[in-house]
Structures are given as C-alpha cells and as structure tokens.
Amino acid sequence: MRVRTRTAWLLAYLAVLLLPIYWMLNMSLRGNNDIMSRMALYPSHPTFHNYLQILTDPSWYMGYVNSFAYVSINTVICLVVALPAAYAFSRYRFLGDKHLFFWLLTNRMAPAAVFLLPVFQLYSAFGLIDTYIAVALAHTLFNVPLAVWILEGFMSGVPREIDETAFIDGYSLPRFFVTVFIPLIRSGAGVTAFFCFMFSWVELLFARTLTVTNAKPIGAVMTRTVSASGLDWGLLAAAGILTIVPGAVVIYFVRNYIAKGFALGRV
C-alpha cells in the first residue's frame, strides 16, 4: 500500500510538472484562430505549419543558430578558464585565497542588471555590440564563478598523492593536468559544462541588450510574435518547444555525469 501511494504521488507530481510542456506542444500543433476560438485538450486537426514557418524563415531559425553559437563559445571559455583556476584553489594556499574565492561567488549572486550598463558601454567602445563573443564574454561574468566553485569541489576530492606521484614520474604540470588530472574529474567537467550551457541558454537580459540583428538570440526573436492583432500563440508555442530541445539533448548526453556530480561534487 505504501509503495502504491508513493507511486501515485510521483505520477501526480510528474503530471503537474509536464502539464505546461504538454499544453505548449498542444498549442504548437494548432492554428492561432483555433487556439483563440476554443479550449481543447488535444489538437483535433494537428498541423505542423508553425514549425515549418520557424524552420524555413531565416529570421526565426537564425535565432537558434545565434543562441547556440554564443552559448557554445561561453561554455568553452568557462571550462578553459575555470579548470586551472579551480586547480589553484584546490591545491595551493596563498594570501587572500578564501576572500578571492568568496568574491568570485558574489559575482554570481549579483543581479545581471547591475553589470549591464558598464558592460554595454565597454563593448560599445570596443565595437563588440551585436557579436557572439560579446554575449559569450558577458555570460562568463556569472558562469566562471559557478564553474570554479563546482570544479573545486571535484578537485578537492582527488588525493594529492596522485599529483606527487606524477611529478616524481617526470610529468610536467601542464602534461599532468591535461593527461592525468582532467580525465579523473571528467564527471565534474561534464556537470560544469551542463550548468554553463543551461545558464547561458536561458539568460535573456544580456543576450537581448548586447545584440541588434546579426546575433539576436531566439528569446529576443520570440518577442516578434507580438503584433497589432495580438500574440501568435501557435507560433510562439512552437518556438518554445524547439527552445527546449537543445537543453533536453544536452541533459541526455551528460545525464551520467550529472548523477555523479550530485553524488560527489558541490552541485
């Protein structure tokens, strides 16, 4: 009886959790007039017109290309910067190390709007507005501290004797770090890449402010559905479903690393 009760509660929880996604999928398979005229639990005459419009209109699908481009750049930059930084915090003690580590986390705690004006003026001066690198670098302000914090937890779990043994065997620090140490914390790197990707993918304030046309993300493109006649609900729902897909794909490929990260790291 207790197992059945838990199963029932779990199914109810999943139903509530998945209801918004199902409803968005339902709307994406219907026309706007059908959506506005009646409420339906499922599309009686499903259509893929909304998806075809997004996938064939450059002004739409380029939003996904732009988002994926700067998110990927941001993830790579965060890992390249955070891996050696986390190793330094994990293995060395220096003056002000704990204060510096806390200062990194305060950048993640601060609202994005606090940094928006100085970042915009700085990028305007260097001509970086409306480029992928502009948004990618802006997102590192929040993702690098998070990446360092997560990776430091994984690295602290690796015994220091491994470092000492490798150095005795003649490994240089760069060779040891790349060939020995990083494979030992690959689960932590996978978890870190996942969080950097997702936080950058869903961030909109910097992505919308620092782009105009060439690098405009899908979140900003979706606001174009607002017109004098109102919202194009079906088109907006289809765009929302396609926006969920990259995150679901990333979760599928790093699911094992995420499980290990929750068990071993600081996640």
Side-chain angles (χ1 to χ4, degrees):
M1 179 64 70
R2 182 176 298 179
V3 174
R4 293 180 179 178
T5 303
R6 290 180 178 178
T7 303
W9 278 109
L10 179 61
L11 292 176
Y13 171 75
L14 290 176
V16 173
L17 189 66
L18 296 176
L19 180 60
I21 298 178
Y22 168 76
W23 201 257
M24 187 163 54
L25 178 63
N26 175 29
M27 292 172 59
S28 70
L29 297 175
R30 300 164 59 191
N32 201 50
N33 293 332
D34 184 24
I35 295 173
M36 298 297 294
S37 61
R38 64 189 182 91
M39 180 179 179
L41 296 178
Y42 59 90
S44 56
H45 301 286
T47 176
F48 291 95
H49 172 74
N50 297 317
Y51 292 97
L52 291 176
Q53 182 174 345
I54 293 173
L55 297 177
T56 57
D57 187 351
S59 62
W60 271 102
Y61 66 73
M62 283 305 298
Y64 293 97
V65 174
N66 295 337
S67 296
F68 189 79
Y70 71 69
V71 167
S72 301
I73 295 173
N74 171 261
T75 303
V76 172
I77 293 176
C78 288
L79 287 177
V80 171
V81 173
L83 281 169
Y87 183 82
F89 281 114
S90 173
R91 289 298 191 261
Y92 301 107
R93 293 295 175 264
F94 50 88
L95 183 63
D97 55 348
K98 298 183 183 298
H99 300 288
L100 180 60
F101 194 74
F102 177 75
W103 175 79
L104 283 173
L105 291 178
T106 59
N107 288 336
R108 188 67 185 88
M109 299 172 188
V114 173
F115 303 99
L116 183 60
L117 181 59
V119 168
F120 181 83
Q121 290 183 332
L122 182 64
Y123 285 6
S124 297
F126 284 93
L128 294 177
I129 298 297
D130 203 22
T131 61
Y132 297 149
I133 193 64
V135 184
L137 289 176
H139 287 176
T140 59
L141 184 64
F142 306 101
N143 283 345
V144 166
L146 178 68
V148 172
W149 185 66
I150 295 175
L151 288 171
E152 194 273 338
F154 280 92
M155 293 179 180
S156 296
V158 178
R160 294 176 180 267
E161 288 77 10
I162 294 179
D163 306 44
E164 298 170 357
T165 303
F167 295 149
I168 292 174
D169 290 341
Y171 279 80
S172 63
L173 178 58
R175 182 187 173 194
F176 160 75
F177 188 73
V178 174
T179 62
V180 178
F181 196 77
I182 290 182
L184 291 175
I185 60 162
R186 58 183 180 274
S187 59
V191 170
T192 304
F194 165 75
F195 279 104
C196 289
F197 184 94
M198 294 308 300
F199 282 136
S200 184
W201 182 262
V202 302
E203 199 282 330
L204 184 59
L205 183 60
F206 276 112
R208 184 173 183 180
T209 305
L210 299 177
T211 59
V212 182
T213 53
N214 296 330
K216 187 175 289 296
I218 184 59
V221 176
M222 289 173 68
T223 60
R224 296 192 308 110
T225 57
V226 181
S227 62
S229 58
L231 287 172
D232 192 337
W233 295 101
L235 190 62
L236 190 60
I241 291 294
L242 293 177
T243 304
I244 296 175
V245 171
V249 172
V250 171
I251 291 175
Y252 176 80
F253 283 107
V254 301
R255 63 190 185 281
N256 293 330
Y257 292 147
I258 294 175
K260 293 179 181 178
F262 278 100
L264 302 176
R266 286 186 167 182
V267 182

